[in-house]
Amino acid sequence: MSQIQQASIQNRLLRALTSDDFSRLQPHLETMTSQLREDLIEAGEPIKELYFPEVGFASIVIDGLAQKIEVGLVGREGLVGAAPLLLGTDCTPQQSFIQMAGTLLRIDAGVLRIAAQESTSLRTLLLRYIHTQMIQASLTIYAHAALKLESRLARWLLMCHDRVDGDELVLTHEFLAMMLGVQRAGVTLALQNLEGAGRIQGRRKRIRILDRDKLLQLVNGSYGAAEAEYARLIGGA
Amino acid sequence: MSQIQQASIQNRLLRALTSDDFSRLQPHLETMTSQLREDLIEAGEPIKELYFPEVGFASIVIDGLAQKIEVGLVGREGLVGAAPLLLGTDCTPQQSFIQMAGTLLRIDAGVLRIAAQESTSLRTLLLRYIHTQMIQASLTIYAHAALKLESRLARWLLMCHDRVDGDELVLTHEFLAMMLGVQRAGVTLALQNLEGAGRIQGRRKRIRILDRDKLLQLVNGSYGAAEAEYARLIGGA
DNA sequence: ATTTTTTGGTTCGATGGCGAACAATAATTT
DNA sequence: AAATTATTGTTCGCCATCGAACCAAAAAAT
C-alpha cells in the first residue's frame, strides 16, 4: 500500500486541496492505468467511482440519435464525475471515457460524497471546478454556433495541449471528426491548412503543436475564458 | 407588504421548496415586472440579486467577439443566477437578460447564499437545478453540432413553449436568428417550412405553436433529456 | 394622414461542409 | 515477405447556410 504524496501529484484539483482535505481523501485514492476508450462513467448508470486524471484525459460526450458529440474534456485539471456527484444525482445522461490513455487516481463515490458534505472547503473547490466546466460548455456552444471548422479544431487542439505533457497529441483524424461532429475528410483538410501555416505538424496518429500563439489567433474568443476562471477560482498551474 | 403564498406561485423551484425553506426565503422575495431585454446579470459584474421568473423568461448568452449566442434559457422552472451563486463565484463571463417580459421574484444574493449554506435541502434542490442546466447545455452543443436549422428551431420553440402560458410566443425573426447564431433570412425560411407543415402559425412578432408532437418529430433527440432530469430530480409540473 | 421605423419576404451568388467514393501509405498480422 | 487492416489523402457533386441586397407590409411616430 504505497502512500501517495500530495506534492508528487499531477492533478491540479488534488494539489489545490487543503492538507486536511487531502489527508481525508488520500487513504481512498487508488492509482490505476487507463486504456484508450475505456468507459469511466456510462450514461444512465449509477456512478460508483470518480477519477482524478494524472496523465491523459477523458471526454464527456452526449449520445444523440445520430452521433456522439463531445461536450467536455477532463484532464489533470479536473475530476471525472464531479458534476453529477456534487450536483446531487447518482447518474447522468452523459458518458465519459478515456480519450488519451495514462493514469488516474480512482476514488469511491460514497467516500467522496461524504467528504464533500463534511468539508466545506472541499465542496467549494469542487463546485468551483464545475463552474469552469459550465463556462467551457458555453464556449463550446459558441464555437459550434459561430465558428468554422478550422477555428474549432484550433480550439480543440489547444484544450488538448493543456492536458498533456509535451507537444505531441496522439489521436486520429477519424476520432477528432467524431468529437467535433464533422466528417473525417474535413478534419484532414483543416489539419493540412494548419500544418501549411506552421502551426502544427502531423504524422500518422500524431499531431505536434508547433505554435500555440498562431493557434490562438484562430479561435475567435472561444478559448481562454474557462481557463481564466479556473486560474481565478482554483489556482495556478 | 403583501405576503406571498407558496401555493399561488408559478415558479417551479419555489413550489418545490420545503415549507421551511420557503418560509426562510419568503420575507426576502420581492415581486417585480420585467422589461424586454432588461439585463438581469451582466458579464463580469458582481451578482447582487437573483431572479425567480414567474411569467416570462430570460436568456443566458455568451458574448463572443463576433456574436451573442444563447447558451441557456431560464423560465419559471428556474432561477437566474443560480449557477454562479451556488458554484461559489461572485461573477461570471455570461450575461442574462429578459427574453420575454413578465414578472420576477427578486432575492438578494447574500440572503440566498446564506440560506443555501444553512439549509441542505435548499442547497440540494438548487444544485440539482444546475445539473439540469448542464444537461440542457450539453444538448445545445449537440444541436448546434449535429442538427440543421429547422431542427434547432423546433427545439428552441419547444423550450420556449414550456416557459410560457398559452401557445403564443412573442418574438421576432431577427431575435431568433441572433440566439441561434444564424442569419435572419434563414429563420424566415425555416419558419415558413414549419408553418407549411401545420406545426406553427406565424404572425408579425408572434408564433403560435399548433402541434407540439410534430415539432418533437424534428428535434432528433435534442429535446427531452433535460426536462426528464428535471422531472426526476425536482418534480412534476 | 403622412412619414418613418420595424419586421418579414424574397432572391442572388458564394462557400463550407456533407456524403460518398476510391487511392495511397503506414502499421500490424500471418 | 506477403497479406491485411488502419489511417490518411484526394476528389466530385450536392446542399444548407452565408452574406448581401432589395422590397413589401405592418406598426409607430409625427
Side-chain angles (χ1 to χ4, degrees), chain A residues 20-51:
Chain A
D20 264 11
D21 287 334
F22 184 77
S23 317
R24 188 193 294 262
L25 300 186
Q26 187 273 326
H28 305 281
L29 293 172
E30 269 186 280
T31 302
M32 60 177 278
T33 61
S34 63
Q35 306 297 318
L36 185 62
R37 310 214 187 177
E38 178 181 353
D39 277 340
L40 300 180
I41 292 179
E42 299 191 55
E45 299 281 316
I47 296 172
K48 297 199 191 73
E49 290 160 332
L50 290 88
Y51 306 86

PDB file of all heavy atoms in Angstrom, chain A residues 20-51:
ATOM      1  N   ASP A  20      -5.673  19.226   5.065  1.00  0.00           N
ATOM      2  CA  ASP A  20      -6.725  18.477   5.759  1.00  0.00           C
ATOM      3  C   ASP A  20      -7.579  17.679   4.779  1.00  0.00           C
ATOM      4  O   ASP A  20      -7.809  16.487   4.960  1.00  0.00           O
ATOM      5  CB  ASP A  20      -7.660  19.454   6.497  1.00  0.00           C
ATOM      6  CG  ASP A  20      -7.242  19.601   7.953  1.00  0.00           C
ATOM      7  OD1 ASP A  20      -6.129  19.119   8.297  1.00  0.00           O
ATOM      8  OD2 ASP A  20      -8.014  20.194   8.718  1.00  0.00           O
ATOM      9  N   ASP A  21      -8.045  18.376   3.753  1.00  0.00           N
ATOM     10  CA  ASP A  21      -8.894  17.699   2.777  1.00  0.00           C
ATOM     11  C   ASP A  21      -8.115  16.593   2.073  1.00  0.00           C
ATOM     12  O   ASP A  21      -8.639  15.508   1.826  1.00  0.00           O
ATOM     13  CB  ASP A  21      -9.429  18.704   1.748  1.00  0.00           C
ATOM     14  CG  ASP A  21     -10.508  19.596   2.341  1.00  0.00           C
ATOM     15  OD1 ASP A  21     -11.170  19.170   3.307  1.00  0.00           O
ATOM     16  OD2 ASP A  21     -10.685  20.724   1.841  1.00  0.00           O
ATOM     17  N   PHE A  22      -6.865  16.884   1.769  1.00  0.00           N
ATOM     18  CA  PHE A  22      -6.074  15.851   1.096  1.00  0.00           C
ATOM     19  C   PHE A  22      -5.915  14.625   1.986  1.00  0.00           C
ATOM     20  O   PHE A  22      -6.075  13.490   1.517  1.00  0.00           O
ATOM     21  CB  PHE A  22      -4.702  16.376   0.670  1.00  0.00           C
ATOM     22  CG  PHE A  22      -3.930  15.362  -0.112  1.00  0.00           C
ATOM     23  CD1 PHE A  22      -4.233  15.116  -1.447  1.00  0.00           C
ATOM     24  CD2 PHE A  22      -2.930  14.615   0.488  1.00  0.00           C
ATOM     25  CE1 PHE A  22      -3.554  14.156  -2.164  1.00  0.00           C
ATOM     26  CE2 PHE A  22      -2.240  13.646  -0.225  1.00  0.00           C
ATOM     27  CZ  PHE A  22      -2.554  13.419  -1.556  1.00  0.00           C
ATOM     28  N   SER A  23      -5.639  14.853   3.249  1.00  0.00           N
ATOM     29  CA  SER A  23      -5.468  13.716   4.165  1.00  0.00           C
ATOM     30  C   SER A  23      -6.735  12.882   4.239  1.00  0.00           C
ATOM     31  O   SER A  23      -6.692  11.657   4.387  1.00  0.00           O
ATOM     32  CB  SER A  23      -5.132  14.195   5.577  1.00  0.00           C
ATOM     33  OG  SER A  23      -4.195  15.223   5.533  1.00  0.00           O
ATOM     34  N   ARG A  24      -7.842  13.562   4.147  1.00  0.00           N
ATOM     35  CA  ARG A  24      -9.112  12.856   4.207  1.00  0.00           C
ATOM     36  C   ARG A  24      -9.297  11.929   3.005  1.00  0.00           C
ATOM     37  O   ARG A  24      -9.784  10.810   3.134  1.00  0.00           O
ATOM     38  CB  ARG A  24     -10.234  13.893   4.238  1.00  0.00           C
ATOM     39  CG  ARG A  24     -11.612  13.351   4.499  1.00  0.00           C
ATOM     40  CD  ARG A  24     -12.666  14.395   4.189  1.00  0.00           C
ATOM     41  NE  ARG A  24     -12.621  15.537   5.068  1.00  0.00           N
ATOM     42  CZ  ARG A  24     -13.408  15.696   6.144  1.00  0.00           C
ATOM     43  NH1 ARG A  24     -14.283  14.774   6.447  1.00  0.00           N
ATOM     44  NH2 ARG A  24     -13.322  16.773   6.887  1.00  0.00           N
ATOM     45  N   LEU A  25      -8.899  12.415   1.822  1.00  0.00           N
ATOM     46  CA  LEU A  25      -9.095  11.617   0.611  1.00  0.00           C
ATOM     47  C   LEU A  25      -7.976  10.604   0.385  1.00  0.00           C
ATOM     48  O   LEU A  25      -8.211   9.521  -0.169  1.00  0.00           O
ATOM     49  CB  LEU A  25      -9.188  12.537  -0.617  1.00  0.00           C
ATOM     50  CG  LEU A  25     -10.315  13.570  -0.631  1.00  0.00           C
ATOM     51  CD1 LEU A  25     -10.347  14.276  -1.980  1.00  0.00           C
ATOM     52  CD2 LEU A  25     -11.667  12.931  -0.325  1.00  0.00           C
ATOM     53  N   GLN A  26      -6.794  10.962   0.797  1.00  0.00           N
ATOM     54  CA  GLN A  26      -5.589  10.199   0.431  1.00  0.00           C
ATOM     55  C   GLN A  26      -5.717   8.693   0.664  1.00  0.00           C
ATOM     56  O   GLN A  26      -5.375   7.906  -0.234  1.00  0.00           O
ATOM     57  CB  GLN A  26      -4.393  10.802   1.185  1.00  0.00           C
ATOM     58  CG  GLN A  26      -3.053  10.235   0.789  1.00  0.00           C
ATOM     59  CD  GLN A  26      -2.738   8.991   1.584  1.00  0.00           C
ATOM     60  OE1 GLN A  26      -3.106   8.861   2.741  1.00  0.00           O
ATOM     61  NE2 GLN A  26      -2.069   8.041   0.933  1.00  0.00           N
ATOM     62  N   PRO A  27      -6.239   8.262   1.810  1.00  0.00           N
ATOM     63  CA  PRO A  27      -6.303   6.803   2.023  1.00  0.00           C
ATOM     64  C   PRO A  27      -7.218   6.090   1.027  1.00  0.00           C
ATOM     65  O   PRO A  27      -7.142   4.868   0.879  1.00  0.00           O
ATOM     66  CB  PRO A  27      -6.880   6.681   3.443  1.00  0.00           C
ATOM     67  CG  PRO A  27      -6.718   8.019   4.063  1.00  0.00           C
ATOM     68  CD  PRO A  27      -6.759   9.009   2.969  1.00  0.00           C
ATOM     69  N   HIS A  28      -8.081   6.843   0.352  1.00  0.00           N
ATOM     70  CA  HIS A  28      -9.065   6.223  -0.538  1.00  0.00           C
ATOM     71  C   HIS A  28      -8.683   6.337  -2.004  1.00  0.00           C
ATOM     72  O   HIS A  28      -9.423   5.874  -2.866  1.00  0.00           O
ATOM     73  CB  HIS A  28     -10.434   6.869  -0.311  1.00  0.00           C
ATOM     74  CG  HIS A  28     -10.881   6.813   1.110  1.00  0.00           C
ATOM     75  ND1 HIS A  28     -11.419   5.683   1.685  1.00  0.00           N
ATOM     76  CD2 HIS A  28     -10.835   7.736   2.101  1.00  0.00           C
ATOM     77  CE1 HIS A  28     -11.705   5.924   2.947  1.00  0.00           C
ATOM     78  NE2 HIS A  28     -11.358   7.161   3.225  1.00  0.00           N
ATOM     79  N   LEU A  29      -7.564   6.976  -2.291  1.00  0.00           N
ATOM     80  CA  LEU A  29      -7.143   7.137  -3.682  1.00  0.00           C
ATOM     81  C   LEU A  29      -6.386   5.898  -4.133  1.00  0.00           C
ATOM     82  O   LEU A  29      -5.483   5.433  -3.463  1.00  0.00           O
ATOM     83  CB  LEU A  29      -6.229   8.360  -3.829  1.00  0.00           C
ATOM     84  CG  LEU A  29      -6.887   9.721  -3.590  1.00  0.00           C
ATOM     85  CD1 LEU A  29      -5.827  10.820  -3.582  1.00  0.00           C
ATOM     86  CD2 LEU A  29      -7.930  10.004  -4.650  1.00  0.00           C
ATOM     87  N   GLU A  30      -6.790   5.400  -5.289  1.00  0.00           N
ATOM     88  CA  GLU A  30      -6.100   4.241  -5.840  1.00  0.00           C
ATOM     89  C   GLU A  30      -5.584   4.562  -7.226  1.00  0.00           C
ATOM     90  O   GLU A  30      -6.348   4.945  -8.114  1.00  0.00           O
ATOM     91  CB  GLU A  30      -7.075   3.065  -5.953  1.00  0.00           C
ATOM     92  CG  GLU A  30      -7.117   2.176  -4.740  1.00  0.00           C
ATOM     93  CD  GLU A  30      -7.996   0.984  -5.030  1.00  0.00           C
ATOM     94  OE1 GLU A  30      -9.233   1.144  -4.944  1.00  0.00           O
ATOM     95  OE2 GLU A  30      -7.472  -0.081  -5.370  1.00  0.00           O
ATOM     96  N   THR A  31      -4.318   4.362  -7.421  1.00  0.00           N
ATOM     97  CA  THR A  31      -3.725   4.606  -8.735  1.00  0.00           C
ATOM     98  C   THR A  31      -4.125   3.502  -9.707  1.00  0.00           C
ATOM     99  O   THR A  31      -4.128   2.336  -9.347  1.00  0.00           O
ATOM    100  CB  THR A  31      -2.189   4.636  -8.636  1.00  0.00           C
ATOM    101  OG1 THR A  31      -1.818   5.652  -7.703  1.00  0.00           O
ATOM    102  CG2 THR A  31      -1.560   4.936  -9.983  1.00  0.00           C
ATOM    103  N   MET A  32      -4.491   3.892 -10.916  1.00  0.00           N
ATOM    104  CA  MET A  32      -4.770   2.885 -11.938  1.00  0.00           C
ATOM    105  C   MET A  32      -4.362   3.419 -13.294  1.00  0.00           C
ATOM    106  O   MET A  32      -4.298   4.629 -13.517  1.00  0.00           O
ATOM    107  CB  MET A  32      -6.262   2.522 -11.945  1.00  0.00           C
ATOM    108  CG  MET A  32      -7.176   3.699 -12.229  1.00  0.00           C
ATOM    109  SD  MET A  32      -8.940   3.264 -12.315  1.00  0.00           S
ATOM    110  CE  MET A  32      -9.074   2.644 -13.997  1.00  0.00           C
ATOM    111  N   THR A  33      -4.083   2.529 -14.209  1.00  0.00           N
ATOM    112  CA  THR A  33      -3.784   2.978 -15.565  1.00  0.00           C
ATOM    113  C   THR A  33      -5.075   2.957 -16.370  1.00  0.00           C
ATOM    114  O   THR A  33      -6.004   2.217 -16.063  1.00  0.00           O
ATOM    115  CB  THR A  33      -2.747   2.062 -16.246  1.00  0.00           C
ATOM    116  OG1 THR A  33      -3.300   0.751 -16.323  1.00  0.00           O
ATOM    117  CG2 THR A  33      -1.462   2.024 -15.442  1.00  0.00           C
ATOM    118  N   SER A  34      -5.130   3.805 -17.365  1.00  0.00           N
ATOM    119  CA  SER A  34      -6.338   3.868 -18.186  1.00  0.00           C
ATOM    120  C   SER A  34      -6.029   3.415 -19.604  1.00  0.00           C
ATOM    121  O   SER A  34      -4.943   3.636 -20.113  1.00  0.00           O
ATOM    122  CB  SER A  34      -6.883   5.297 -18.199  1.00  0.00           C
ATOM    123  OG  SER A  34      -5.954   6.177 -18.800  1.00  0.00           O
ATOM    124  N   GLN A  35      -7.009   2.789 -20.208  1.00  0.00           N
ATOM    125  CA  GLN A  35      -6.884   2.322 -21.589  1.00  0.00           C
ATOM    126  C   GLN A  35      -7.654   3.257 -22.506  1.00  0.00           C
ATOM    127  O   GLN A  35      -8.709   3.758 -22.136  1.00  0.00           O
ATOM    128  CB  GLN A  35      -7.498   0.923 -21.731  1.00  0.00           C
ATOM    129  CG  GLN A  35      -6.953  -0.101 -20.757  1.00  0.00           C
ATOM    130  CD  GLN A  35      -5.474  -0.353 -20.960  1.00  0.00           C
ATOM    131  OE1 GLN A  35      -5.032  -0.456 -22.096  1.00  0.00           O
ATOM    132  NE2 GLN A  35      -4.726  -0.422 -19.867  1.00  0.00           N
ATOM    133  N   LEU A  36      -7.146   3.434 -23.693  1.00  0.00           N
ATOM    134  CA  LEU A  36      -7.852   4.237 -24.691  1.00  0.00           C
ATOM    135  C   LEU A  36      -9.282   3.732 -24.853  1.00  0.00           C
ATOM    136  O   LEU A  36      -9.510   2.541 -25.046  1.00  0.00           O
ATOM    137  CB  LEU A  36      -7.112   4.157 -26.024  1.00  0.00           C
ATOM    138  CG  LEU A  36      -7.647   5.031 -27.156  1.00  0.00           C
ATOM    139  CD1 LEU A  36      -7.569   6.497 -26.786  1.00  0.00           C
ATOM    140  CD2 LEU A  36      -6.870   4.777 -28.439  1.00  0.00           C
ATOM    141  N   ARG A  37     -10.222   4.654 -24.792  1.00  0.00           N
ATOM    142  CA  ARG A  37     -11.662   4.391 -24.965  1.00  0.00           C
ATOM    143  C   ARG A  37     -12.316   3.606 -23.835  1.00  0.00           C
ATOM    144  O   ARG A  37     -13.460   3.165 -23.971  1.00  0.00           O
ATOM    145  CB  ARG A  37     -11.951   3.667 -26.292  1.00  0.00           C
ATOM    146  CG  ARG A  37     -11.276   4.377 -27.437  1.00  0.00           C
ATOM    147  CD  ARG A  37     -12.056   4.299 -28.685  1.00  0.00           C
ATOM    148  NE  ARG A  37     -11.232   4.875 -29.748  1.00  0.00           N
ATOM    149  CZ  ARG A  37     -11.548   4.930 -30.995  1.00  0.00           C
ATOM    150  NH1 ARG A  37     -12.692   4.431 -31.387  1.00  0.00           N
ATOM    151  NH2 ARG A  37     -10.771   5.494 -31.883  1.00  0.00           N
ATOM    152  N   GLU A  38     -11.587   3.418 -22.759  1.00  0.00           N
ATOM    153  CA  GLU A  38     -12.179   2.782 -21.583  1.00  0.00           C
ATOM    154  C   GLU A  38     -13.292   3.675 -21.043  1.00  0.00           C
ATOM    155  O   GLU A  38     -13.118   4.885 -20.885  1.00  0.00           O
ATOM    156  CB  GLU A  38     -11.072   2.610 -20.529  1.00  0.00           C
ATOM    157  CG  GLU A  38     -11.531   1.999 -19.230  1.00  0.00           C
ATOM    158  CD  GLU A  38     -10.374   1.885 -18.218  1.00  0.00           C
ATOM    159  OE1 GLU A  38      -9.218   2.154 -18.596  1.00  0.00           O
ATOM    160  OE2 GLU A  38     -10.666   1.563 -17.063  1.00  0.00           O
ATOM    161  N   ASP A  39     -14.436   3.078 -20.747  1.00  0.00           N
ATOM    162  CA  ASP A  39     -15.539   3.852 -20.176  1.00  0.00           C
ATOM    163  C   ASP A  39     -15.290   4.100 -18.699  1.00  0.00           C
ATOM    164  O   ASP A  39     -15.010   3.167 -17.940  1.00  0.00           O
ATOM    165  CB  ASP A  39     -16.856   3.083 -20.330  1.00  0.00           C
ATOM    166  CG  ASP A  39     -17.462   3.281 -21.693  1.00  0.00           C
ATOM    167  OD1 ASP A  39     -17.108   4.264 -22.366  1.00  0.00           O
ATOM    168  OD2 ASP A  39     -18.301   2.458 -22.102  1.00  0.00           O
ATOM    169  N   LEU A  40     -15.423   5.338 -18.287  1.00  0.00           N
ATOM    170  CA  LEU A  40     -15.304   5.654 -16.866  1.00  0.00           C
ATOM    171  C   LEU A  40     -16.684   5.820 -16.244  1.00  0.00           C
ATOM    172  O   LEU A  40     -16.950   5.329 -15.151  1.00  0.00           O
ATOM    173  CB  LEU A  40     -14.486   6.936 -16.669  1.00  0.00           C
ATOM    174  CG  LEU A  40     -13.050   6.877 -17.206  1.00  0.00           C
ATOM    175  CD1 LEU A  40     -12.326   8.196 -16.956  1.00  0.00           C
ATOM    176  CD2 LEU A  40     -12.279   5.719 -16.580  1.00  0.00           C
ATOM    177  N   ILE A  41     -17.542   6.509 -16.961  1.00  0.00           N
ATOM    178  CA  ILE A  41     -18.915   6.694 -16.492  1.00  0.00           C
ATOM    179  C   ILE A  41     -19.838   6.437 -17.665  1.00  0.00           C
ATOM    180  O   ILE A  41     -19.647   6.992 -18.743  1.00  0.00           O
ATOM    181  CB  ILE A  41     -19.114   8.116 -15.942  1.00  0.00           C
ATOM    182  CG1 ILE A  41     -18.315   8.284 -14.647  1.00  0.00           C
ATOM    183  CG2 ILE A  41     -20.588   8.413 -15.721  1.00  0.00           C
ATOM    184  CD1 ILE A  41     -18.412   9.637 -14.029  1.00  0.00           C
ATOM    185  N   GLU A  42     -20.822   5.583 -17.451  1.00  0.00           N
ATOM    186  CA  GLU A  42     -21.740   5.278 -18.542  1.00  0.00           C
ATOM    187  C   GLU A  42     -23.056   6.009 -18.348  1.00  0.00           C
ATOM    188  O   GLU A  42     -23.504   6.215 -17.219  1.00  0.00           O
ATOM    189  CB  GLU A  42     -21.959   3.762 -18.609  1.00  0.00           C
ATOM    190  CG  GLU A  42     -20.647   3.044 -18.878  1.00  0.00           C
ATOM    191  CD  GLU A  42     -20.828   1.576 -19.215  1.00  0.00           C
ATOM    192  OE1 GLU A  42     -21.592   1.281 -20.150  1.00  0.00           O
ATOM    193  OE2 GLU A  42     -20.221   0.738 -18.533  1.00  0.00           O
ATOM    194  N   ALA A  43     -23.659   6.391 -19.456  1.00  0.00           N
ATOM    195  CA  ALA A  43     -24.903   7.156 -19.402  1.00  0.00           C
ATOM    196  C   ALA A  43     -25.989   6.341 -18.711  1.00  0.00           C
ATOM    197  O   ALA A  43     -26.193   5.169 -19.029  1.00  0.00           O
ATOM    198  CB  ALA A  43     -25.336   7.541 -20.808  1.00  0.00           C
ATOM    199  N   GLY A  44     -26.648   6.963 -17.765  1.00  0.00           N
ATOM    200  CA  GLY A  44     -27.777   6.319 -17.129  1.00  0.00           C
ATOM    201  C   GLY A  44     -27.429   5.288 -16.071  1.00  0.00           C
ATOM    202  O   GLY A  44     -28.328   4.744 -15.427  1.00  0.00           O
ATOM    203  N   GLU A  45     -26.139   5.023 -15.896  1.00  0.00           N
ATOM    204  CA  GLU A  45     -25.723   4.039 -14.887  1.00  0.00           C
ATOM    205  C   GLU A  45     -25.341   4.752 -13.585  1.00  0.00           C
ATOM    206  O   GLU A  45     -24.763   5.834 -13.624  1.00  0.00           O
ATOM    207  CB  GLU A  45     -24.487   3.266 -15.387  1.00  0.00           C
ATOM    208  CG  GLU A  45     -24.719   2.501 -16.662  1.00  0.00           C
ATOM    209  CD  GLU A  45     -25.447   1.194 -16.404  1.00  0.00           C
ATOM    210  OE1 GLU A  45     -25.079   0.504 -15.456  1.00  0.00           O
ATOM    211  OE2 GLU A  45     -26.397   0.902 -17.162  1.00  0.00           O
ATOM    212  N   PRO A  46     -25.606   4.126 -12.449  1.00  0.00           N
ATOM    213  CA  PRO A  46     -25.182   4.720 -11.178  1.00  0.00           C
ATOM    214  C   PRO A  46     -23.665   4.910 -11.146  1.00  0.00           C
ATOM    215  O   PRO A  46     -22.926   4.056 -11.631  1.00  0.00           O
ATOM    216  CB  PRO A  46     -25.609   3.673 -10.135  1.00  0.00           C
ATOM    217  CG  PRO A  46     -26.648   2.858 -10.792  1.00  0.00           C
ATOM    218  CD  PRO A  46     -26.355   2.867 -12.254  1.00  0.00           C
ATOM    219  N   ILE A  47     -23.241   6.035 -10.615  1.00  0.00           N
ATOM    220  CA  ILE A  47     -21.814   6.345 -10.579  1.00  0.00           C
ATOM    221  C   ILE A  47     -21.213   5.781  -9.300  1.00  0.00           C
ATOM    222  O   ILE A  47     -21.551   6.212  -8.207  1.00  0.00           O
ATOM    223  CB  ILE A  47     -21.610   7.866 -10.657  1.00  0.00           C
ATOM    224  CG1 ILE A  47     -22.131   8.363 -11.999  1.00  0.00           C
ATOM    225  CG2 ILE A  47     -20.144   8.229 -10.463  1.00  0.00           C
ATOM    226  CD1 ILE A  47     -22.166   9.853 -12.134  1.00  0.00           C
ATOM    227  N   LYS A  48     -20.320   4.819  -9.461  1.00  0.00           N
ATOM    228  CA  LYS A  48     -19.727   4.172  -8.285  1.00  0.00           C
ATOM    229  C   LYS A  48     -18.388   4.777  -7.929  1.00  0.00           C
ATOM    230  O   LYS A  48     -17.990   4.766  -6.779  1.00  0.00           O
ATOM    231  CB  LYS A  48     -19.543   2.671  -8.554  1.00  0.00           C
ATOM    232  CG  LYS A  48     -20.837   1.910  -8.801  1.00  0.00           C
ATOM    233  CD  LYS A  48     -20.599   0.411  -8.585  1.00  0.00           C
ATOM    234  CE  LYS A  48     -21.780  -0.413  -9.086  1.00  0.00           C
ATOM    235  NZ  LYS A  48     -21.834  -0.455 -10.577  1.00  0.00           N
ATOM    236  N   GLU A  49     -17.669   5.249  -8.938  1.00  0.00           N
ATOM    237  CA  GLU A  49     -16.331   5.774  -8.692  1.00  0.00           C
ATOM    238  C   GLU A  49     -16.102   7.023  -9.510  1.00  0.00           C
ATOM    239  O   GLU A  49     -16.691   7.188 -10.579  1.00  0.00           O
ATOM    240  CB  GLU A  49     -15.286   4.720  -9.076  1.00  0.00           C
ATOM    241  CG  GLU A  49     -15.278   3.547  -8.113  1.00  0.00           C
ATOM    242  CD  GLU A  49     -14.634   2.312  -8.699  1.00  0.00           C
ATOM    243  OE1 GLU A  49     -14.679   2.150  -9.942  1.00  0.00           O
ATOM    244  OE2 GLU A  49     -14.095   1.519  -7.912  1.00  0.00           O
ATOM    245  N   LEU A  50     -15.220   7.872  -8.990  1.00  0.00           N
ATOM    246  CA  LEU A  50     -14.806   9.056  -9.736  1.00  0.00           C
ATOM    247  C   LEU A  50     -13.307   8.956  -9.980  1.00  0.00           C
ATOM    248  O   LEU A  50     -12.625   8.167  -9.328  1.00  0.00           O
ATOM    249  CB  LEU A  50     -15.152  10.327  -8.961  1.00  0.00           C
ATOM    250  CG  LEU A  50     -16.655  10.622  -8.885  1.00  0.00           C
ATOM    251  CD1 LEU A  50     -17.269   9.934  -7.684  1.00  0.00           C
ATOM    252  CD2 LEU A  50     -16.921  12.115  -8.825  1.00  0.00           C
ATOM    253  N   TYR A  51     -12.812   9.789 -10.905  1.00  0.00           N
ATOM    254  CA  TYR A  51     -11.438   9.626 -11.367  1.00  0.00           C
ATOM    255  C   TYR A  51     -10.752  10.980 -11.512  1.00  0.00           C
ATOM    256  O   TYR A  51     -11.217  11.846 -12.254  1.00  0.00           O
ATOM    257  CB  TYR A  51     -11.429   8.915 -12.718  1.00  0.00           C
ATOM    258  CG  TYR A  51     -12.194   7.605 -12.709  1.00  0.00           C
ATOM    259  CD1 TYR A  51     -13.580   7.586 -12.949  1.00  0.00           C
ATOM    260  CD2 TYR A  51     -11.559   6.398 -12.430  1.00  0.00           C
ATOM    261  CE1 TYR A  51     -14.290   6.392 -12.925  1.00  0.00           C
ATOM    262  CE2 TYR A  51     -12.270   5.201 -12.408  1.00  0.00           C
ATOM    263  CZ  TYR A  51     -13.629   5.209 -12.654  1.00  0.00           C
ATOM    264  OH  TYR A  51     -14.336   4.034 -12.626  1.00  0.00           O
TER     265      TYR A  51
END
